[in-house]
Amino acid sequence: MMKENGRALINAVANAPLLNNIVRYMSDKISVLMLKAGYYRSPISLITVRLLACLILTTFSSVFLILAFIIEDNYLFYASIASACSAVLVFFSPFLQLHILVRERKDGLKKELPYFLLYASVLQHAGISLYTSLARLAKVSIFKYLRKEAMVFLRDIRFLGKDPLTALDNLAKNSPLKEFQDVIYGYTSLIRSGGDVAKYLEEKTKDTLKELRFKWKTYADRCTDLGESIASMFLMLTLLILIGSIILPTDVGLIVSTLNFLIIPITAIASLIIIDSLLPEILELRKEHLRYFAIAFSSSIFTAYLSYTMFKNLVMTVLVFLLSITLINGISYARERKIAKSIEESLPKFLRDLTEYRKMGFTPAQAIIRIAWSKSYNKHFDKILANMSSHVRMGLGLNKMPKTCSWLFNYVVFILNEIEESGGGSPAILEELTHFINEVNHIKAEARKSLLLYELIAYITPVLLTLSLALVLKLTLALTTSETLSTAFSSVLGITFNFNEIFEQFKITIIEASLTFALLTSKIVDFTLRNTLRGFFILLIAGLSFVIAPYITDYVFSLVAS
């Protein structure tokens, strides 16, 4: 009933005499963008809902403005301006939403394309065409974005009656990624002209692998520069604001609050967006991650409550809470990452052994059974290999294998299952797969090694911030307590604030900046924010710096005095 009422309201607004032309004009403008975004819903419905909300906000804005002039209330005037700005934002929100979806679809396809091309090349060598292999992706969840492309491809064939080549061309036409368009158009052209499509896909796979190596190198270089800039910004900005708070001590609370609640969060969000756009990696969000985080959060609240009861100190409570949540969540990630790393390190060895058995005439399924019986890699991989062997012996197939914490391993299992079901899988194809996986592992390892200097900066940052803060405050305190300079210095700067209070306020800033930088480092080095164990150690360093910094500054000033 509610849905029917909603549809009736949308139809009434869309067909209203004054709004009908606006809705249709915007619908024509937005239709092409919707296809690029992969948003397959009614454009009129999308526009009408936002237009209705825009009209309501505009009405509120007009009412507030009239009342503001009648009552002469500034708050109503500000409310009118806020409502008008919200109305404008809501009016243009369909375009903003679709541009975000286009960007997300483009980035997702860019990350999945090299792996898809290898998959398509392997099946093409087995005699299975690209459109058949693409259609198979609609049944599996190994590719998040290409699965959606596969479903659109199947829709064009099964419901719109298009032939496979026309459906492929239509898929390429509406794709926001030029590389994907080039692959599809090149394939359909070769099919129509009778060219060697297997060789074409093989060459495309090699090209994308070279491009992937270049992207990882570019990613490492740019992220190192970005990390150094962020570290420098946090350090210099904190020091500048500290000096500003000494000159203008009455505004120190406002200055610190602006830094904590506006500048650092905005910097963090902007940095995450940049890093995610540069990252040439497929990321998986597993639901159990949220469960681990909920457990860590609940435990940390209890720990923070005990800390506040014992010490009655806000900084200590915040630090204990963050240390607890980063430690618990980080341990769960570290355990999972250790397993994934062990699995991925053994993958090339396993594939080489599989290739040798294939050369002897065994199918991939038969080779897996023999490898599980005769070979040993490491305890994590051996356990999974035994599970694979059990599935094969029971006739369940590799597609029934439970997913592991390594996307790369899940991808290899998916490829091997497709090879087994297609009856292909020559030694040359398996060698190509082995080379590809080995190259991907090598490229990632090189990228991580090149980011070691950046990671070191993350650990040093809280120490530099704390020592700089303590030294500036100690210097100012020495100037204001000096018998000869106290009167002149205080009269010029008007210093009347409590230095211990300032130090406590900036401790929160240092904690926030250190944790933010630690999370950004995890995103760059580990490709995820889940590695909070690094954040735990960096926060621990920050906490120790708070204790040690006063003694170091006293020692430095005693040396200067002597």
Side-chain angles (χ1 to χ4, degrees):
M1 187 68 180
M2 291 182 64
K3 288 183 178 180
E4 292 178 0
N5 292 335
R7 288 171 186 167
L9 179 62
I10 289 173
N11 289 332
V13 173
N15 294 319
L18 295 176
L19 302 177
N20 184 266
N21 291 333
I22 297 175
V23 171
R24 293 194 178 280
Y25 176 78
M26 290 183 67
S27 176
D28 293 338
K29 291 292 183 182
I30 213 170
S31 296
V32 176
L33 193 59
M34 290 179 73
L35 291 175
K36 291 286 184 183
Y39 191 90
Y40 301 104
R41 296 180 185 177
S42 169
I44 294 177
S45 176
L46 175 66
I47 294 166
T48 305
V49 172
R50 311 296 172 89
L51 191 58
L52 181 60
C54 179
L55 289 174
I56 293 171
L57 287 169
T58 304
T59 305
F60 275 117
S61 177
S62 303
V63 171
F64 288 148
L65 186 61
I66 293 169
L67 290 175
F69 282 111
I70 295 173
I71 305 175
E72 296 183 356
D73 190 340
N74 290 333
Y75 290 107
L76 287 173
F77 180 72
Y78 295 145
S80 173
I81 294 175
S83 298
C85 293
S86 300
V88 173
L89 184 62
V90 169
F91 183 81
F92 289 104
S93 62
F95 295 95
L96 296 174
Q97 178 187 352
L98 290 175
H99 276 294
I100 291 171
L101 290 175
V102 168
R103 184 69 186 178
E104 182 184 352
R105 183 185 180 191
K106 183 179 179 181
D107 290 342
L109 288 175
K110 188 183 296 183
K111 292 173 183 178
E112 293 179 351
L113 184 60
Y115 301 93
F116 168 71
L117 281 175
L118 176 64
Y119 157 73
S121 175
V122 166
L123 290 192
Q124 189 69 56
H125 279 93
I128 296 175
S129 62
L130 176 65
Y131 38 84
T132 304
S133 59
L134 183 62
R136 288 188 179 193
L137 289 183
K139 302 175 184 178
V140 296
S141 58
I142 194 71
F143 293 112
K144 178 182 176 181
Y145 294 94
L146 278 162
R147 186 187 183 195
K148 295 178 183 178
E149 306 296 317
M151 294 173 74
V152 173
F153 173 72
L154 287 178
R155 180 208 64 180
D156 287 352
I157 293 176
R158 294 178 180 177
F159 296 102
L160 301 182
K162 297 178 181 178
D163 63 273
L165 290 181
T166 305
L168 278 176
D169 285 336
N170 185 63
L171 189 65
K173 177 184 175 183
N174 295 324
S175 176
L177 184 65
K178 185 179 182 302
E179 292 88 341
F180 185 70
Q181 289 181 333
D182 292 341
V183 169
I184 299 298
Y185 284 140
Y187 182 86
T188 54
S189 297
L190 281 175
I191 286 288
R192 291 187 176 101
S193 63
D196 188 351
V197 288
K199 185 67 175 176
Y200 169 76
L201 290 175
E202 184 180 339
E203 291 300 320
K204 279 291 182 182
T205 305
K206 292 178 181 178
D207 291 341
T208 54
L209 188 59
K210 291 177 183 177
E211 187 178 350
L212 187 64
R213 176 182 286 278
F214 175 75
K215 285 179 181 177
W216 275 109
K217 187 178 183 303
T218 305
Y219 169 78
D221 293 341
R222 290 183 180 177
C223 284
T224 301
D225 296 338
L226 178 65
E228 291 171 356
S229 302
I230 294 170
S232 302
M233 189 202 70
F234 279 145
L235 183 60
M236 296 304 297
L237 191 62
T238 305
L239 290 177
L240 286 173
I241 289 176
L242 173 61
I243 295 170
S245 66
I246 293 173
I247 298 173
L248 302 169
T250 54
D251 296 327
V252 65
L254 177 62
I255 293 171
V256 173
S257 298
T258 303
L259 179 63
N260 291 347
F261 298 106
L262 186 65
I263 297 176
I264 292 179
I266 289 176
T267 304
I269 293 170
S271 301
L272 281 174
I273 293 172
I274 294 171
I275 293 166
D276 197 58
S277 66
L278 293 173
L279 185 64
E281 172 73 356
I282 299 174
L283 303 174
E284 270 191 315
L285 178 64
R286 301 167 67 84
K287 293 182 179 179
E288 52 265 34
H289 295 171
L290 301 176
R291 185 177 72 240
Y292 294 145
F293 182 79
I295 294 171
F297 186 79
S298 304
S299 304
S300 300
I301 289 177
F302 178 70
T303 309
Y305 174 75
L306 291 179
S307 173
Y308 186 76
T309 305
M310 293 173 61
F311 301 105
K312 301 293 183 181
N313 185 285
L314 178 62
V315 174
M316 180 64 71
T317 303
V318 171
L319 186 60
V320 168
F321 172 77
L322 294 175
L323 284 171
S324 178
I325 196 170
T326 52
L327 178 63
I328 297 171
N329 190 71
I331 288 173
S332 69
Y333 169 81
R335 179 180 174 277
E336 182 180 299
R337 181 57 203 155
K338 181 182 177 182
I339 295 172
K341 186 178 179 182
S342 299
I343 294 170
E344 290 175 3
E345 284 178 349
S346 300
L347 260 180
K349 300 175 186 176
F350 164 70
L351 289 172
R352 277 194 289 269
D353 292 334
L354 188 70
T355 305
E356 293 302 319
Y357 275 96
R358 188 72 185 94
K359 289 177 180 177
M360 288 185 253
F362 295 101
T363 65
Q366 293 170 340
I368 287 171
I369 295 173
R370 283 161 176 78
I371 291 172
W373 174 74
S374 61
K375 297 284 184 179
S376 179
Y377 301 95
N378 58 60
K379 64 177 183 178
H380 300 297
F381 195 87
D382 290 345
K383 183 179 178 180
I384 294 173
L385 190 56
N387 193 13
M388 291 174 66
S389 178
S390 300
H391 273 71
V392 172
R393 287 199 303 269
M394 289 187 291
L396 297 177
L398 297 177
N399 60 330
K400 301 294 183 182
M401 277 277 296
K403 295 290 187 293
T404 67
C405 53
S406 169
W407 184 89
L408 199 60
F409 177 80
N410 298 336
Y411 170 75
V412 169
V413 171
F414 166 70
I415 293 280
L416 292 177
N417 181 70
E418 293 294 306
I419 289 173
E420 183 71 22
E421 290 185 353
S422 64
S426 65
I429 291 175
L430 291 175
E431 284 177 354
E432 182 183 347
L433 176 61
T434 305
H435 173 71
F436 183 89
I437 299 301
N438 195 43
E439 279 291 297
V440 168
N441 281 337
H442 182 66
I443 291 167
K444 288 183 184 179
E446 282 188 342
R448 282 194 173 100
K449 285 180 182 178
S450 63
L451 292 168
L452 285 176
L453 178 61
Y454 168 74
E455 191 171 2
L456 180 62
I457 294 173
Y459 285 99
I460 295 175
T461 297
V463 179
L464 294 176
L465 286 173
T466 308
L467 287 177
S468 302
L469 172 64
L471 284 169
V472 173
L473 284 177
K474 190 71 175 178
L475 176 62
T476 310
L477 183 61
L479 291 172
T480 55
T481 55
S482 171
E483 293 181 1
T484 56
L485 297 175
S486 176
T487 304
F489 192 80
S490 298
S491 63
V492 172
L493 296 181
I495 295 178
T496 58
F497 61 88
N498 188 316
F499 287 100
N500 291 328
E501 182 181 343
I502 297 290
F503 194 52
E504 289 295 309
Q505 287 180 321
F506 271 92
K507 281 181 181 178
I508 297 292
T509 302
I510 292 171
I511 289 172
E512 183 182 1
S514 300
L515 180 60
T516 300
F517 199 48
L519 292 176
L520 291 176
T521 304
S522 294
K523 181 67 175 179
I524 290 172
V525 178
D526 303 307
F527 322 128
T528 176
L529 295 174
R530 283 198 61 233
N531 186 11
T532 55
L533 205 58
R534 181 182 288 104
F536 168 79
F537 289 116
I538 290 175
L539 287 174
L540 195 60
I541 291 171
L544 293 173
S545 300
F546 296 155
V547 177
I548 298 171
Y551 298 102
I552 295 177
T553 52
D554 287 340
Y555 178 71
V556 171
F557 273 84
S558 65
L559 288 177
V560 174
S562 62

